[in-house]
Amino acid sequence: MKKKLIALAAVGALIAGLAGCSSAPATSGGDAPAAKDLKDLVVGFAQVGAESGWRTANTKDIQDSFKEAGIELKFSDAQQKQENQIKAIRSYIQQKVDYIAFSPVVETGWDAVLNEAKAAGIPVILTDRAVDSKDESLYKTFLGSDFVAEGKKAGEWAKTEFADADSVKVVQLEGTTGAAPAIDRAEGFADVIKGDKKFDIVASQTGDFTRAGGRQVMEALLKSQPHIDLVYSHNDDMGLGAIEAIEAAGLTPGKDIKIITVDAVHDGMQALADGKINFIVECSPLLGKQLIDVIKTLNEGGTVEKRIVTEETTFTQEQAAEALPDRKY
Ligand code: GZL
């Protein structure tokens, strides 16, 4: 009889244990839920758009990284409209995805939707661009470049290049108004040149990070400005558009008007190697692997740094010619 009672107790314990595993997620000791199999994870990504070569490379790298990791990716393209990104994030919340990642098209206006994600218990990861929210609990980390440092690198090159000049008339092609890279690249460049009176930013206008935008702004500035020595463009694509405008005006880009851009995507690097751009500050779009690493760490109950800065360099015309054959994008 006693043996029977012990056996029944064991079976009862076994059934109770199985019921516990299959219903509420088992805890891993603390509050964090136990790690899910990667194949069971679903991540929603709200991309800015497809405005530039950088964005195209960024999207491809993210999609390839998720495919390689075997993690399901729901992806949306906001055509550079904040309301579309907010709609996409709300849709991911309704679908109860495990994580939300996005590149905020502009810095402001995110607290409401990020609080909705927080209330739903869905961790948010910022990639590429930052938000200006004071509440850092609204996202797990911001993974991306230091745009102020990028602007400073551009300014330092300009100071060296024009060391012997008495006057340098600069036009600045700004990225999307309100976007972190546009704000910070302008700040970094201004910080470096502000002490040097020869530099005069005679015009600064947004080309919205697109080649067409850069061409249109440059066409207008070539008509309105009596003299331009340097174009500082917040990305390659606007710089390539400016080249088209400069050549259409009968001038030689890289010589009559020097050009600095940011990104170092293939077409920019080719123009640099061809002598039409003078200096490029790299901004790496290859964030996919780091994003996967963040998700894996969080999935296993780990913690990540609030700020993960991507490594990047700069290129001269000689360095571009050498680097081009091995570039991934
Ligand atoms: C920078 C990224 C910027 C690129 C542009 O991290 O957000 O947006 O510099 C892109 O080319 O459009």
Side-chain angles (χ1 to χ4, degrees):
M1 180 59 177
K2 192 178 174 194
K3 278 185 180 171
K4 266 191 180 173
L5 285 174
I6 290 170
L8 276 173
V11 168
L14 181 64
I15 290 166
L18 285 175
C21 280
S22 59
S23 55
T27 60
S28 49
D31 298 334
K36 274 188 162 182
D37 286 344
L38 295 185
K39 64 179 174 33
D40 298 331
L41 283 179
V42 180
V43 176
F45 191 93
Q47 181 59 293
V48 166
E51 73 281 1
S52 62
W54 190 98
R55 190 65 54 197
T56 305
N58 178 246
T59 290
K60 181 178 185 310
D61 184 64
I62 285 168
Q63 291 174 332
D64 291 351
S65 299
F66 273 83
K67 197 175 292 176
E68 189 182 329
I71 298 176
E72 184 184 345
L73 178 70
K74 292 179 182 292
F75 184 90
S76 64
D77 171 336
Q79 286 97 41
Q80 285 193 277
K81 291 183 173 54
Q82 181 173 29
E83 63 267 25
N84 290 345
Q85 281 193 300
I86 290 172
K87 273 186 205 138
I89 292 168
R90 288 197 164 118
S91 160
Y92 297 144
I93 293 170
Q94 281 157 4
Q95 297 175 67
K96 296 184 172 33
V97 298
D98 296 288
Y99 297 91
I100 291 170
F102 78 115
S103 169
V105 62
V106 293
E107 284 189 339
T108 56
W110 300 100
D111 280 26
V113 73
L114 294 183
N115 271 300
E116 291 166 31
K118 183 179 177 183
I122 301 175
V124 172
I125 299 157
L126 303 181
T127 70
D128 167 30
R129 297 185 184 177
V131 298
D132 70 348
S133 178
K134 300 288 175 285
D135 182 356
E136 291 198 344
S137 74
L138 294 177
Y139 55 89
K140 286 294 183 185
T141 186
F142 164 38
L143 159 61
S145 303
D146 179 342
F147 303 127
V148 173
E150 291 172 348
K152 289 187 173 179
K153 290 174 187 174
E156 292 301 341
W157 182 87
K159 285 186 74 169
T160 305
E161 178 70 13
F162 291 96
D164 301 332
D166 298 326
S167 156
V168 184
K169 301 294 182 197
V170 184
V171 299
Q172 180 170 227
L173 302 180
E174 299 172 9
T176 303
T177 303
I183 295 165
D184 292 353
R185 284 172 184 164
E187 178 190 322
F189 186 78
D191 276 356
V192 168
I193 66 166
K194 67 179 176 228
D196 193 332
K197 294 287 168 273
K198 78 174 80 166
F199 287 99
D200 179 10
I201 300 181
V202 294
S204 188
Q205 271 179 257
T206 182
D208 210 17
F209 281 132
T210 66
R211 193 177 292 211
R215 188 181 63 250
Q216 284 150 22
V217 170
M218 198 64 208
E219 281 166 357
L221 293 178
L222 283 164
K223 292 187 181 95
S224 63
Q225 294 300 324
H227 181 76
I228 299 170
D229 297 296
L230 172 65
V231 173
Y232 168 43
S233 174
H234 289 178
N235 81 331
D236 290 353
D237 291 67
M238 293 189 294
L240 293 164
I243 286 169
E244 292 170 13
I246 291 166
E247 288 176 331
L251 297 170
T252 307
K255 290 193 175 19
D256 299 329
I257 297 179
K258 300 277 170 70
I259 301 177
I260 304 171
T261 67
V262 185
D263 277 350
V265 295
H266 179 273
D267 291 355
M269 291 288 274
Q270 189 60 61
L272 180 61
D274 295 345
K276 296 186 176 183
I277 292 176
N278 300 86
F279 187 67
I280 296 186
V281 177
E282 185 184 39
C283 175
S284 175
L286 307 181
L287 304 176
K289 187 187 173 317
Q290 287 175 292
L291 176 54
I292 294 291
D293 291 346
V294 165
I295 289 168
K296 284 180 178 175
T297 301
L298 296 173
N299 180 49
E300 287 150 16
T303 55
V304 293
E305 294 295 319
K306 208 65 184 174
R307 178 75 175 94
I308 302 170
V309 182
T310 44
E311 299 296 316
E312 49 207 27
T313 182
T314 58
F315 293 96
T316 62
Q317 291 173 343
E318 299 71 27
Q319 289 165 337
E322 282 165 35
L324 260 170
D326 304 327
R327 296 285 287 174
K328 287 170 71 175
Y329 57 93

